[in-house]
Amino acid sequence: MKNWRTLIFGLMFSVSTAFAAPQQMDKIAAVVNNGVVLESDINNRLQSVKRDAQHAGQQIPDEQTLRHQILERLIIDNILLQMAKQMGITIPDQALDSTIANIAAQNHITVDQMKHRIAADGMNFDTYRDQIRKEMLIAEVRNNEVRRRVTILPQEIDALVKQISNQNTNDTELNISHILIPLPENPDQAQMEKAMTVVQKIMSELKHGVDFGKLAIAYSADPQALKGGNMGWSRLQELPTLFAEQLQLAQKGAVVGPIRSGVGFHILKVNDIRGGNPTIAVTEVHARHILLRTSPVMTDDQARTKLQQIASDIRSGKTDFADAAKEFSDDPGSALRGGDLGWTAPDIYDPAFRDALMRLNKGEISQPVHSSFGWHLIQLLDTRKVDKTDVAQKDRAYRMLFNRKFTEEAQSWMQEQRASAYVKILDGNDAQQ
């Protein structure tokens, strides 16, 4: 899952999680389908958010507002974890350990150092692991479900490639924070007026210098609300279309909005802008090979010895490489072409084959090389630098469109799950259904 894990986990695991000491008496704060959110869950997350905000120098709203936001986030998490159980999704220990190691590496510490820091903060590492596992399950469910809703047409890719070529000589990236004031589907006048009142209040407070992150924590329904609404770095083309249109001329520090969409009103802040000039060129190789596969009648030693004899015959002029490939090679795709593999990037080959190939000089024949396919005799015919700008731009355009549509669909999908779930809030301050 590297691509989407890389695109989705970088956002999910940057928040540390605190866990309070065991409560003598716990109670249910909310019933969510056939599950519950406990008071201890809210209190634990409340302490975590407070501590993270203190470490980051982030202002936070009053405790009642913060509590409401945390409860809503825990309700969504509970819904998605129930979906994961129904789907039979699990996170293997190996994947969990790898993720934790990545978190440690991103913070420039070892896993052992991470354990000491977690213990110093009064956390239990096993409970921390359990929370990370839950976050991975939530990401897996969301990715599986939202991906199905994303469709990208070839015409969209071509149009975006043209737009990038015409408008952007640099890879401009924006660091954006986001506040979402949600609206139900087909809102009535009263719901619209209530949302607009909140939007106007936020805009007024921003004009008077109130911290954007504090307002995001207090009011936003975005998944990143408890992180101050920060969406991280994105290229303009990766952002939802409504956002990108409004941000084309925005400068660092600008507040943009409110922007109306199908899920509510959005307010954006440009925290920072950066750019770069990537060079898109690759080295391609032209190679040919002779493959001998091992079998009950062809051992590794026999295959290696046979290829050594063939190489000796080629070097002595007794035969040439193409004729030997046609006669002996077990690779039907290339044998008829004299073992010719054509021009391609070396990364497509088996690592052992690739490494041996890249050590050769032009025209040189390798010693027998063992790969996952068998034993090879390899000859490097030529190398060249190839401009892959067009191919790379289309690949980049596809990823930008996917990220943009995924972001749009994910918010709608999560609101749909929340609306369709049975939720009974028992907490007195948030009593609603």
Side-chain angles (χ1 to χ4, degrees), residues 50-60 211:
K50 285 181 176 180
R51 191 187 62 257
D52 290 341
Q54 183 179 13
H55 289 168
Q58 172 71 63
Q59 299 179 47
I60 58 175
D211 181 71

Side-chain angles (χ1 to χ4, degrees), residues 347-373:
D347 287 342
I348 73 162
Y349 294 126
D350 178 277
F353 186 104
R354 176 200 64 210
D355 293 345
L357 174 62
M358 296 309 292
R359 287 194 294 267
L360 297 176
N361 295 316
K362 182 178 175 180
E364 186 179 1
I365 298 174
S366 72
Q367 293 298 316
V369 175
H370 185 257
S371 80
S372 58
F373 297 98

Side-chain angles (χ1 to χ4, degrees), residues 96-119 125 128-129:
L96 177 61
D97 292 338
S98 177
T99 297
I100 291 174
N102 288 337
I103 296 171
Q106 289 166 11
N107 286 278
H108 309 292
I109 58 175
T110 66
V111 173
D112 284 340
Q113 289 172 325
M114 173 189 277
K115 291 179 179 179
H116 288 309
R117 290 191 183 185
I118 289 172
F125 188 72
Y128 174 79
R129 279 175 55 86

Side-chain angles (χ1 to χ4, degrees), residues 37-56:
V37 175
L38 299 174
E39 283 291 334
S40 59
D41 296 331
I42 299 174
N43 292 333
N44 291 338
R45 187 67 67 89
L46 185 65
Q47 296 305 314
S48 171
V49 171
K50 285 181 176 180
R51 191 187 62 257
D52 290 341
Q54 183 179 13
H55 289 168

Side-chain angles (χ1 to χ4, degrees), residues 8-57:
I8 300 302
F9 293 162
L11 294 175
M12 296 280 301
F13 300 126
S14 59
V15 180
S16 61
T17 306
F19 300 92
Q23 304 285 319
Q24 287 187 344
M25 184 176 69
D26 209 343
K27 65 177 183 177
I28 296 173
V31 177
V32 183
N33 291 327
N34 60 348
V36 296
V37 175
L38 299 174
E39 283 291 334
S40 59
D41 296 331
I42 299 174
N43 292 333
N44 291 338
R45 187 67 67 89
L46 185 65
Q47 296 305 314
S48 171
V49 171
K50 285 181 176 180
R51 191 187 62 257
D52 290 341
Q54 183 179 13
H55 289 168

Side-chain angles (χ1 to χ4, degrees), residues 287-300:
R288 56 185 178 182
H289 80 139
I290 298 169
L291 170 67
L292 296 184
R293 300 183 189 276
T294 55
S295 69
V297 296
M298 175 71 77
T299 66
D300 284 315

Side-chain angles (χ1 to χ4, degrees), residues 292 294 298-308 375:
L292 296 184
T294 55
M298 175 71 77
T299 66
D300 284 315
D301 286 341
Q302 289 172 329
R304 182 173 56 250
T305 301
K306 181 67 174 176
L307 286 177
Q308 288 171 338
W375 286 89

